[in-house]
């Protein structure tokens, strides 16, 4: 297990719905093999701590939160907002200044309705998602889906075009339209969109491109990869009044081969409820999930020789080269540098 992949260690990752941690509430999760405790103080500030009491390693999330103080369930040690131990019930004579124990805390921020945590030194902000800030597009949060595979396998599946007719038959593709039309892959660096690699001029025939579609249509796609574990798909309709849509895939690497997948939809579709839109996304993802959980190895091999690729896999190959170039080690099998 690569505990300290510097790329992911020093980046932000989504770990919870921001609304899932209300004032006075605690939530436990895991990021990059590290148990996390999230809690919100009475002023509304979110805190992200290692979910581990410095005394005997007990999960603090099994304790209680009262008056902005986390109290460990095992021996009742109490920790204030800074993570500093304030009281040890077994030794009431000790003053706060005498207590050395301090819980490890991490940078945390709220963006796109999610809580983002960085275990190291954040080198940049969470990935840009300008469609989220477009007031004309409604937002729907889907997932998180708990996937028994690595983050990179999930991103690669999200970028894959040739599977659409086979896995999502009748929805995102049709078997008699399996040909993948030519598309281009390029790197980009844009003040609004950020930087990374993208696939453009992608055109796909879809029987039901979204939850409201009643007939098939050609849909123009773009995919952009912004981080090793962040990709955004946009769909532009042919018709002027058709559905515009951006789907952000935001992954929380729990460990190397267990990942929580969050989706945020930003779309100008208003005739369906959030639940209906989520149900559509749930259906699509329930078709992808058993695939990525059964691809071996679960970690994505970066060597171009490790698996057989064909011309229409060029986005997947570009993604592997992108990960190699960044020096990613977590959730992948390193190959020769390309
Ligand atoms: S393990 Fe937390 S107080 Fe002892
Ligand atoms: Fe899929």
């Amino acid at each position: 297990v690569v505990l300290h992949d510097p790329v992911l260690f020093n980046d932000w990752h989504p770990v919870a719905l921001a609304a899932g941690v209300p004032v006075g509430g605690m939530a436990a999760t895991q990021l990059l093999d590290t148990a996390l405790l999230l809690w919100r103080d009475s002023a509304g500030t979110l805190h992200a701590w290692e979910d581990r009491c410095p005394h005997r390693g007990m999960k603090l999330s099994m304790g209680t939160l009262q008056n902005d103080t986390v109290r460990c369930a095992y021996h009742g040690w109490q920790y204030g907002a800074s993570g500093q131990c304030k009281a040890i019930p077994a030794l009431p004579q000790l003053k706060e200044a005498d207590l050395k124990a301090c819980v490890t805390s991490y940078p945390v921020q709220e963006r796109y309705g999610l809580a983002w945590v960085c275990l190291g030194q954040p080198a940049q902000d969470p990935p840009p998602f300008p469609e989220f800030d477009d007031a004309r597009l409604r937002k729907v949060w889907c997932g998180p889906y708990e996937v028994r595979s690595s983050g990179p396998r999930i991103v690669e599946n999200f970028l894959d075009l040739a599977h659409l007719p086979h896995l999502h038959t009748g929805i995102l593709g049709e078997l008699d339209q399996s040909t993948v039309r030519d598309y281009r892959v390029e790197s980009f660096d844009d003040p609004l969109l950020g930087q990374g690699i993208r696939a453009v001029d992608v055109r796909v025939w879809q029987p039901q491109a979204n939850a409201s579609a009643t007939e098939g249509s050609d849909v123009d796609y773009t995919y952009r990869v912004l981080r090793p574990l962040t990709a955004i798909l946009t769909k532009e309709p042919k018709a002027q009044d058709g559905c515009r849509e951006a789907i952000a895939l935001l992954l929380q690497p729990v460990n190397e081969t267990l990942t929580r997948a969050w989706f945020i939809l930003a779309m100008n579709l208003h005739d369906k409820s959030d639940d209906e839109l989520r149900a559509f996304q749930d259906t699509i993802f329930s078709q992808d999930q058993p695939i990525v959980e059964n691809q071996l190895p679960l970690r994505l091999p970066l060597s171009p020789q490790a698996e057989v690729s064909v011309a229409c896999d060029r986005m997947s190959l570009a993604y592997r080269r992108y990960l190699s170039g960044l020096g990613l080690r977590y959730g992948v099998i390193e190959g020769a540098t390309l």
Side-chain angles (χ1 to χ4, degrees):
V1 177
V2 188
L3 283 174
H4 286 226
D5 179 302
V7 181
L8 297 185
F9 195 69
N10 293 312
D11 204 352
W12 296 98
H13 305 278
V15 295
L17 279 178
V21 194
V23 166
M26 297 198 290
T29 186
Q30 188 174 306
L31 174 65
L32 297 168
D33 296 280
T34 302
L36 285 184
L37 167 70
L38 301 169
W39 65 276
R40 197 181 293 277
D41 66 27
S42 51
T45 302
L46 193 59
H47 300 266
W49 286 2
E50 186 180 7
D51 191 7
R52 186 174 168 275
C53 178
H55 180 221
R56 287 295 178 267
M58 177 62 190
K59 282 197 170 178
L60 289 168
S61 57
M62 307 281 285
T64 52
L65 169 61
Q66 232 171 28
N67 301 326
D68 294 341
T69 301
V70 176
R71 185 188 172 96
C72 180
Y74 197 2
H75 311 98
W77 290 23
Q78 293 165 29
Y79 301 91
S82 66
Q84 196 64 45
C85 185
K86 298 197 300 187
I88 296 178
L91 298 166
Q93 68 277 21
L94 290 185
K95 302 269 172 303
E96 198 173 333
D98 304 325
L99 305 177
K100 304 224 163 15
C102 187
V103 184
T104 304
S105 59
Y106 304 109
V108 58
Q109 63 169 294
E110 297 174 57
R111 192 79 182 91
Y112 314 127
L114 299 173
W116 297 73
V117 168
C118 174
L119 296 183
Q121 304 289 328
Q124 49 189 341
D125 287 331
F129 181 19
E131 291 90 344
F132 188 91
D133 301 316
D134 184 338
R136 291 165 302 178
L137 302 179
R138 72 187 281 198
K139 317 302 173 324
V140 180
W141 286 258
C142 304
Y145 306 100
E146 295 249 354
V147 188
R148 304 209 152 272
S149 191
S150 64
R153 281 281 191 202
I154 299 168
V155 172
E156 196 180 76
N157 166 263
F158 184 68
L159 303 174
D160 187 274
L161 289 166
H163 85 285
L164 298 175
H166 302 277
L167 213 52
H168 309 298
T169 316
I171 309 175
L172 301 181
E174 210 64 271
L175 286 174
D176 62 3
Q177 307 244 13
S178 295
T179 307
V180 175
R181 285 176 266 184
D182 260 347
Y183 63 95
R184 285 189 303 118
V185 171
E186 61 189 26
S187 51
F188 70 97
D189 188 350
D190 181 277
L192 198 63
L193 298 177
Q195 51 179 227
I197 54 167
R198 66 185 169 196
V200 296
D201 298 338
V202 181
R203 185 162 295 176
V204 197
W205 170 261
Q206 304 206 306
Q208 196 198 347
N210 59 62
S212 289
T214 51
E215 55 182 25
S217 60
D218 261 337
V219 184
D220 283 327
Y221 271 31
T222 65
Y223 290 100
R224 52 186 202 263
V225 175
L226 298 153
R227 299 288 168 84
L229 302 181
T230 307
I232 298 176
L233 162 64
T234 64
K235 297 187 183 189
E236 289 290 341
K238 285 273 120 259
Q240 201 62 42
D241 57 349
C243 174
R244 253 200 86 216
E245 182 173 8
I247 301 175
L249 171 67
L250 310 164
L251 298 182
Q252 172 186 354
V254 173
N255 63 40
E256 276 201 284
T257 54
L258 181 64
T259 308
R260 297 217 298 167
W262 303 83
F263 284 94
I264 301 177
L265 317 180
M267 62 205 311
N268 64 353
L269 195 82
H270 297 282
D271 64 337
K272 295 281 176 196
S273 69
D274 284 5
D275 282 342
E276 287 171 307
L277 294 175
R278 255 193 293 272
F280 183 79
Q281 204 62 28
D282 288 353
T283 299
I284 302 294
F285 200 76
S286 72
Q287 297 169 332
D288 288 306
Q289 183 157 353
I291 298 291
V292 294
E293 292 184 337
N294 288 285
Q295 285 175 277
L296 299 176
L298 293 177
R299 290 183 297 147
L300 187 72
L302 296 186
S303 161
Q305 284 82 40
E307 294 177 339
V308 180
S309 299
V310 291
C312 59
D313 294 322
R314 69 178 72 94
M315 186 54 179
S316 124
L317 291 172
Y319 174 61
R320 294 178 183 201
R321 273 196 305 276
Y322 166 81
L323 298 183
S324 291
L326 291 174
L328 194 81
R329 286 154 47 193
Y330 196 91
V332 299
I333 297 168
E334 289 168 76
T337 311
L338 310 179

